[in-house]
Amino acid sequence: MTTLTLDTLAWTPLGHDHGHCHHQFQLRDASLHVAAEEFVGLIGPNGSGKTSLLRCAYRFSRPEHGEVRLDHHNVWKQSSRWCAQRIAVVLQEFPDAFGLTVEEVVAMGRTPHKGLFDGDTHEDRRLATQALQSVGLQGFEDHAFATLSGGEKQRVILARALTQQPQLLILDEPTNHLDPRYQLELLQLVRQLKIGTLASIHDLNLAAAFCDRLYVIDHGRIVASGTPRQVLTVELLREVFGVEALIDTHPLHDYPRITWITRP
């Protein structure tokens, strides 16, 4: 069963003086854990270090200190191919698809599992078709990726990730481009996949509804962790996000609901 552990990471972006320890994107002693089949949310204000931490996790930005381990293997000591066979990433920015169709973009998810000159097999095509069905885009195979809406592109990229058959899914603000229906459908789908998942989520009510556990990051440090009910308190939202809120239980489900208090 796959587990991800990020242990006491420290990271400063290139081009910045390491002496500026208060730079907003510097990670310091950031530790978190994702168990098999667990959906873990990463929340925090803009500029708190969410994307930086995810980049360390999926082997994009090498941490100065600490370790990133997938099933006890240090990912920074493995090849990029080893990581790509096990970790799928869905980012906010979309790739340049250079005239590729939806089907071709989704099929790219099989690349880490193939040799350099291997063609697509029947199994590759089956996995791609299944992934497109699961994100509600069957029938879009021949559409040019570039012509799709932001929400459709996001779902194609998730389908590509599913085609990878990953052991771990990392999502950076996966609902950013989506309208409410597809926000709910995408997060529901991710939950049902039963794949260990680490996702940065902007909307705290969505994080409360779908995540098993949450980590709160502020100024590059993990400042709280636990279930949504343990983490999403009036005090924490005031301290970390600088806003007042009412918190009660969702009328139909047993998770917290946040109502922001705006001054007239």
Side-chain angles (χ1 to χ4, degrees):
M1 301 294 262
T2 303
T3 60
L4 172 73
T5 305
L6 284 71
D7 195 22
T8 57
L9 293 185
W11 178 79
T12 307
L14 292 172
H16 290 281
D17 180 355
H18 288 15
H20 291 290
C21 62
H22 296 299
H23 187 276
Q24 63 178 344
F25 290 114
Q26 186 182 34
L27 297 179
R28 289 168 294 164
D29 302 331
S31 298
L32 60 80
H33 180 77
V34 181
E37 300 188 4
E38 190 179 30
F39 190 168
V40 174
L42 183 63
I43 61 174
N46 288 345
S48 58
K50 296 189 295 293
T51 296
S52 299
L53 192 145
L54 293 183
R55 284 176 170 171
C56 289
Y58 62 80
R59 208 179 169 281
F60 182 85
S61 300
R62 183 187 282 273
E64 294 164 16
H65 308 291
E67 282 192 345
V68 181
R69 293 190 302 279
L70 185 65
D71 283 347
H72 310 297
H73 297 280
N74 184 334
V75 303
W76 283 96
K77 292 183 176 173
Q78 308 300 323
S79 68
S80 54
R81 179 181 170 90
W82 185 94
C83 293
Q85 288 171 345
R86 292 161 178 81
I87 302 173
V89 184
V90 177
L91 302 178
Q92 291 183 55
E93 327 69 72
F94 299 120
D96 292 323
F98 300 119
L100 295 180
T101 65
V102 165
E103 188 172 39
E104 289 165 335
V105 171
V106 173
M108 289 165 68
R110 301 304 301 153
T111 305
H113 302 281
K114 300 159 81 77
L116 192 56
F117 300 107
D118 290 351
D120 286 347
T121 65
H122 176 72
E123 177 66 1
D124 292 335
R125 287 188 288 274
R126 187 190 69 77
L127 288 167
T129 300
Q130 190 179 318
L132 279 170
Q133 284 174 347
S134 66
V135 300
L137 286 177
Q138 62 270 48
F140 277 69
E141 288 82 353
D142 296 328
H143 289 225
F145 181 79
T147 64
L148 302 181
S149 70
E152 288 165 344
K153 285 180 177 174
Q154 188 71 306
R155 289 187 283 148
V156 170
I157 299 306
L158 179 61
R160 182 182 69 178
L162 300 184
T163 305
Q164 249 175 280
Q165 293 187 297
Q167 298 165 17
L168 175 74
L169 198 53
I170 294 180
L171 311 171
D172 189 7
E173 303 280 8
T175 57
N176 246 13
H177 301 278
L178 305 181
D179 60 33
R181 174 189 163 187
Y182 287 120
Q183 288 184 353
L184 296 172
E185 286 188 2
L186 183 130
L187 292 176
Q188 204 127 31
L189 170 62
V190 170
R191 261 196 82 86
Q192 289 165 355
L193 292 172
K194 296 292 184 189
I195 298 172
T197 300
L198 176 61
S200 65
I201 298 180
H202 193 68
D203 185 321
L204 300 190
N205 278 306
L206 288 176
F210 289 98
C211 293
D212 299 309
R213 288 189 304 114
L214 298 174
Y215 286 92
V216 184
I217 188 167
D218 189 27
H219 293 96
R221 288 186 186 276
I222 302 290
V223 296
S225 66
T227 65
R229 193 172 293 287
Q230 290 168 331
V231 165
L232 297 172
T233 64
V234 169
E235 295 75 24
L236 181 127
L237 296 181
R238 183 187 299 130
E239 284 172 30
V240 173
F241 292 90
V243 286
E244 297 295 325
L246 294 171
I247 299 175
D248 59 6
T249 298
H250 191 285
L252 303 179
H253 304 284
D254 186 32
Y255 50 72
R257 176 180 62 173
I258 299 162
T259 305
W260 302 113
I261 299 173
T262 54
R263 293 180 178 84

